[in-house]
Amino acid sequence: MGKSKKHIRGRKGEYFSEQIRGINLEQVLVVAIDAAKHHQKALICNYFGDVIEDSFFFATNLESNHLLVQKINEAKERTNAVKVFLGIESTGHYYEDVVRQLQEHGYNVSIINPLTTKEERSASLSWCKTDDIDLAAIAFCIIHNKGTESKLPE
């Protein structure tokens, strides 16, 4: 029998650690997405929080989702990224279309609970709520593996 691995965050922690172990963290991208009814907003940074692509809006349609994927691919090329983590705050049902589109492109998307985002804003002593502050909180949640891996039903 093989030796069982243990991690302080359980299987979720093991899975996350396996994905980044041995990788140059400069080559790990984090894509934070703040969902909304009409215009989503995204930010691309590296694992250390260095901004690779300033926050940008994209609409809730197929063409705009392709823009998001294009920006991710461009960031991957610029940084020689070998791993991309994506996360989105679960805001009503608005996030579902974006998640489905990204899954069609082969990405796994971590679902971030809005309360987790709120806690991250509070932890940084920021009680303001803007899209960019939320994006930073979502990115922090992704980096610290605070999301839920989820496949949405078809």
Side-chain angles (χ1 to χ4, degrees):
M1 255 189 192
K3 183 178 177 184
S4 171
K5 291 183 181 179
K6 289 188 179 181
H7 193 279
I8 60 172
R9 303 260 338 234
R11 286 186 179 188
K12 181 179 172 187
E14 281 180 39
Y15 177 71
F16 186 77
S17 294
E18 287 172 6
Q19 291 184 70
I20 61 171
R21 184 161 287 140
I23 295 176
N24 175 358
L25 295 179
E26 298 279 353
Q27 295 177 300
V28 175
L29 289 182
V30 173
V31 181
I33 304 166
D34 190 16
K37 185 174 185 179
H38 297 292
H39 292 92
Q40 329 289 350
K41 196 168 188 182
L43 166 79
I44 303 174
C45 62
N46 67 13
Y47 189 82
F48 298 109
D50 302 322
V51 175
I52 305 300
E53 180 73 39
D54 285 327
S55 61
F56 58 93
F57 285 103
F58 61 101
T60 55
N61 59 42
L62 192 58
E63 183 178 323
S64 287
N65 283 328
H66 287 302
L67 169 70
L68 173 61
V69 171
Q70 176 186 346
K71 286 195 177 268
I72 293 169
N73 289 334
E74 289 170 359
K76 282 170 62 176
E77 286 180 29
R78 280 197 315 268
T79 60
N80 295 317
V82 294
K83 185 68 184 169
V84 179
F85 290 102
L86 292 95
I88 189 167
E89 187 177 37
S90 59
T91 310
H93 64 279
Y94 302 127
Y95 72 100
E96 293 178 1
D97 289 338
V98 177
V99 172
R100 285 189 179 93
Q101 289 295 320
L102 291 169
Q103 287 174 343
E104 285 181 14
H105 286 278
Y107 291 108
N108 291 321
V109 183
S110 291
I111 308 300
I112 310 294
N113 185 304
L115 289 174
T116 305
T117 307
K118 180 183 176 190
E119 285 180 12
E120 290 307 323
R121 283 194 315 269
S122 296
S124 63
L125 301 177
S126 174
W127 290 271
C128 297
K129 183 174 177 10
T130 67
D131 289 343
D132 287 339
I133 291 172
D134 278 354
L135 287 170
I138 293 165
F140 187 86
C141 290
I142 297 165
I143 291 166
H144 290 92
N145 193 25
K146 294 185 176 185
T148 303
E149 291 297 322
S150 177
K151 293 270 185 191
L152 294 176
E154 300 273 331

